Structures are given as structure tokens and as C-alpha cells.
Amino acid sequence: MKRSLMIVFVIVALGTVLLISGCGKKKPTLYIFNWSDYIDPDLLKEFELDNNCRIRYSTFDSNENMLTKVKSSTQSFDILFPSGDHVTILNELGLLEELDKSKLTNYTNLDANLLKMATSFDPDNRYAIPYAWGLTGLLYNKQYVPEEIVASGGWNILGDSFFNGINKITMLDDAREVVGAALIYSGYSVNDTSPEALAAAHNVLKVWDRNITQFDSDSYKNEVQDGTTWLAQAYNGDAVQLMQTNPDLQFILPKEGASMWMDNMVILKSAQEKELAYKFIDFLLDAEVSMRNSEYIMYPTPNKAAMEMMGEAFIQNKIINPDEEYLDKCYMIEYLGDAVRSIDQIYESIKMN
Ligand code: SPD
């Protein structure tokens, strides 16, 4: 047999063997859309190996951006990680799959108290699996911000003339967080949309805005390290991640209180790989996996079994786990329906200024 004919024969034979054994099949692909810096990447690799699948992982930096992408994107996702108020919004749009809990063998690891809390945005816990929760405060670099400027420990630091509108301060690109901080500082809940509360918050924001150089939810994480940003409104766990490697960074949970939020895992109705999506959520609900993940992302998990296994350093960290006394001053960001428009309007007017 001629040499070239022999090569063709071998290729065809190999192809046939691969086809029969199933090894030539395209691996199923799970599309996940999560907040940035919010999962241990090793866990993604482990899941891919254990389940002979591929994960296409993309990130967002605000619920609003996530929602815009989900509504407009031609590429559909299987799993999203929205905050509580956005679980309700996605559900009202009819985008969420009602969960079959019999497919989640590790569901019982979840803390019953936190599941009850989640019913405020997901009645009867039908569509969302709580993933992590946290608080929003102020991150700063002490190389640039002297102790006396932050000594008050309150949200008013944002308005201090020391910053002079030049020394960069950022607030999150998130209407609920920005207006929420001003509401708390003015003595109201982040969910108060009464005219008095909003007028007070608006006035406070006009003062802070003299200093705010940017509304940004992601790049501050690099900039606060290199001094481009001196102080930033930031999520507590993201701050702790950065503080682990940079001793110049400090985080303040403002004395007046903070906004609180719970992020969740949901499956889209349009998901192409629903079974794999259930497997992935169940994998993350495993106590040890969840414990490893929390210690990586530095946010507490609603997984009670995982919290019981957590290391002392994590449990004792008061930025991640503040005392009950502090938590009593915090407000969970709730779904507000159409009333959210008045908050959006204030935010947009401040941002455009
Ligand atoms: N890097 C992860 C940040 C998670 C923030 N989640 C919720 C914010 C609600 N405003």
C-alpha cells in the first residue's frame, strides 16, 4: 500500500474509534456570568475536570450592567449571580427558572435564617440560591490619606475639604449604593424613597460630589494601590482581598451604618445546559467547596455547614464579620419597584454634574 494511502487509512480509522467511544463529542459548555473577583478560579477548573465540561466565565461590575447584557445579549447565559433586588427584577421579567431543589443535594447546608431573609426578594426561595453577602464602606490608602482625615469614621469623610476635588475619591457606579450611602448618613434607610429622605440625601451628595472624581466599580481596586485613587467606596470582601497583600490599605465600616446585600445564584429559563447548571450550583453548595470559596473571595457565605468549618482568621475578621451591634445599623438593599426611579434620577443628576 502506498504511504499516503496508509496515512489516510490511519486517520479515518482513528476518527471512527473516537466517534464510537464518544471522545470526539464536543464537551458541554456552561456559561456563567458573575461579579468580578467573586469565585476561586481553581474551583472552576476542578468542576470542568470532574464533569468533563467547559466553563465560559464572564464578569460584570454592577447589577445594572449585568441586566443590560442579559436583556440585550444574543449569547445566553446559564447561571447568573444577581443581588437580591435584581433577583426580583429578573423574575418579574420572566427570565428565571423555578428551581427543582431535589437536584440540589447540598441545599440543606444553607442557613435557615438567611434563607428566610432571602424571601424578601424571592418569596418561598423558589428562584435563587443565596451565594454570599456583604457590606459597603470606604477603602483608602494610608500613604496618601492621613489618620486625622478618617478619624471621624463616618461617611462625611467623602466631603472633607482635604480631598479638594483633586485627590481622587471614587464612589461605586451604582445608584443604590451612592444614594444609599447619603441616605444612611442623613439618618434614613437605603430603601426610604420619601421626598424628605431623598431631598436630604440629594443635598449631601451635592457636597460630596465636589470631591468625587469618578463613579467606578472596578478600576479603583488597582488605582487605590498605586495612589491614582486615594479613597474609594468599596465592597468589604473586595477590600479584604486587597488588604491581604497591601498593608497600606485600610477599610472603614462607617459609624452611621452601611448598605448590606446578598448575592445569589439563579438559572435562566433560556439556559442551554440546565442539568449542568444544577450540578455546578450543587458543587458550590458543598460545605468544603463553599468554605474554600469564601476564604478566597473573603465574603461570608449563607452556607451554614461551610461557616462552621471556616478558619479563625476569617471568623475573627471584623470587616467581614462585624458585630451584631454594627449589623443592626445596616440596611439590606431591597427591591423598590418603580420607586427606584427617584433614586436613579438623583444618581444621574449627580453623575452628570
Ligand atoms: N467583587 C464582588 C462584589 C460583590 C458585590 N455585590 C453586591 C453589590 C450590591 N450593590
Side-chain angles (χ1 to χ4, degrees), residues 35-38 63 83 174 177 235 238 261 263 299 333:
W35 292 86
S36 49
D37 307 314
Y38 216 27
N63 282 301
S83 304
D174 182 320
E177 293 287 6
Y235 301 123
D238 287 27
W261 33 265
D263 297 325
Y299 286 95
I333 296 176

Side-chain angles (χ1 to χ4, degrees), residues 30-48 55-60 79-81 131-132 221 237-238 241 244 263-265 277 279-285 288-299 301:
L30 191 63
Y31 287 86
I32 300 177
F33 201 23
N34 191 2
W35 292 86
S36 49
D37 307 314
Y38 216 27
I39 203 156
D40 177 349
D42 285 348
L43 294 174
L44 298 177
K45 284 186 216 130
E46 274 177 43
F47 184 81
E48 283 183 322
I55 292 179
R56 287 280 173 266
Y57 189 81
S58 334
T59 60
F60 54 86
I79 300 176
L80 310 175
F81 287 68
Y131 172 71
K221 293 182 212 167
D238 287 27
Q241 285 178 33
Q244 285 175 318
D263 297 325
N264 305 270
M265 299 181 272
K279 276 193 185 166
F280 183 77
I281 292 177
D282 206 33
F283 169 71
L284 286 184
L285 283 176
E288 202 189 321
V289 169
S290 172
M291 181 268 288
R292 277 174 55 200
N293 193 40
S294 267
E295 291 205 334
Y296 182 92
I297 63 173
M298 290 295 165
Y299 286 95
T301 166

